[in-house]
Structure formats: structure tokens, C-alpha cells
Amino acid sequence: SLAGLAGCESPAASSDTIVIRLSGIKEGDVADGVVEREKNVTTETSNPYARFLADARAALGRDPSRVEVDAVSITLGGDTRGVVGFQELFSGETNVYLRDDVGGTVYVGRVSSPAGVGPVECEVVATEESLAPLLPALLSGAFRVGVRGPTARLATDDFDAKVEVSIRFAAFE
């Protein structure tokens, strides 16, 4: 059977694109030429990630054996101040990551020198293997979504960049 071959297996459930609205990246977040912001996935209004997990469990009758990331993008929110495009915030490789409470961090998306307001599609860099250590957090929703990248902005600049991270998840048997 071809069903077991990588890439041929259909997910038991796929999430709609889940948008995580990070609170603003501000001048105070500049440290050693890098800016970073993260947020608990469950704090989004109506908790769409919990709905994805519930749908996956309903489809399978149990927890999925793995959760993967299908797509990642970033968008500059309309309420951003002092930044007209990502090129004014990030000056190089920018990463979207998932982080659990025990210190595990997995990069799930990468884009080199993003520009414009987006949505900017990121290369999906998460693999089944790289996400495996986060599975307990992915099954409980106890993880944070974040974005991190180098910046030319200074801690003395006045800006407030609202970044929306969009991720599409898939759950498998």
C-alpha cells in the first residue's frame, strides 16, 4: 500500500489557517540587533488551535500520533506604527517558531529578508522529526508561537510593529 509512504498519507484533520496576533514588537524589544516576540497559542480569541485539536480527536477517536505544520506566513498588522514594511523591521533571515514550556524550540518557518506588509510566505522548515519532541505540547496546546529576526532598528527608535503569524497545522493517525 502506498498509504504509508511519506507525503502520500492524508491528514486526519487540517486546521484552517490559525492567525496568532503578536503584541507589538517595540524599540524595547531590540537586543543585540535582534527582535523577538512570542505568544501562547491558546490566547487567541475563540482559541482556533483548540478547535483544530478537538476536530482531530473527533476524526480519529483519540489523540493524533503527530502534528505537522503545512504552511506559515507573516503579515504586518494594520495598527503598526513606525514601520511601513517588514524590510524596516527585519534585516535578514527571519524565523517563526514554536516553543514549549520545558525549553524546546522548533523553527517552523523561515524567510530571508521579508519585505512589504505581507502576507509573506515562509519556507516550512519543520519536519516530523523536528516537531516530535514538542508533541506533548502540541497535543495539549501548551506552546507559544513566536517570530525572531535580525533588525537594523535601534532601541532608541519609536515603533510598534504588530505581526500576525499564520500557521496551518495537520494531524495524522
Side-chain angles (χ1 to χ4, degrees):
S1 152
L2 293 178
L5 293 179
C8 296
E9 187 180 1
S10 296
S14 288
S15 70
D16 291 329
T17 298
I18 294 173
V19 178
I20 307 299
R21 291 169 185 83
L22 302 177
S23 61
I25 298 175
K26 302 176 176 69
E27 58 278 356
D29 297 318
V30 176
D32 297 323
V34 172
V35 289
E36 179 173 9
R37 173 65 62 200
E38 63 183 40
K39 178 180 176 180
N40 286 324
V41 73
T42 57
T43 57
E44 275 309 316
T45 306
S46 79
N47 196 353
Y49 187 80
R51 191 168 57 246
F52 156 69
L53 283 178
D55 291 348
R57 287 181 177 120
L60 294 168
R62 59 176 173 75
D63 277 344
S65 65
R66 70 182 198 271
V67 174
E68 294 183 3
V69 172
D70 283 346
V72 180
S73 66
I74 55 174
T75 304
L76 204 55
D79 52 350
T80 290
R81 177 179 52 75
V83 176
V84 299
F86 280 120
Q87 69 277 6
E88 290 189 359
L89 181 63
F90 296 119
S91 59
E93 182 178 286
T94 301
N95 289 284
V96 173
Y97 61 85
L98 307 181
R99 178 175 290 154
D100 69 10
D101 292 330
V102 293
T105 300
V106 176
Y107 287 160
V108 296
R110 174 187 314 142
V111 59
S112 183
S113 302
V117 296
V120 174
E121 294 297 320
C122 299
E123 172 192 2
V124 174
V125 295
T127 64
E128 180 180 344
E129 292 76 26
S130 70
L131 287 167
L134 288 187
L135 186 60
L138 291 169
L139 293 177
S140 66
F143 66 93
R144 293 178 296 286
V145 174
V147 64
R148 179 179 205 278
T151 188
R153 300 308 292 261
L154 302 173
T156 53
D157 290 351
D158 181 23
F159 66 97
D160 186 359
K162 310 288 189 181
V163 178
E164 297 176 356
V165 177
S166 300
I167 302 178
R168 194 171 65 241
F169 293 93
F172 293 85
E173 278 190 60

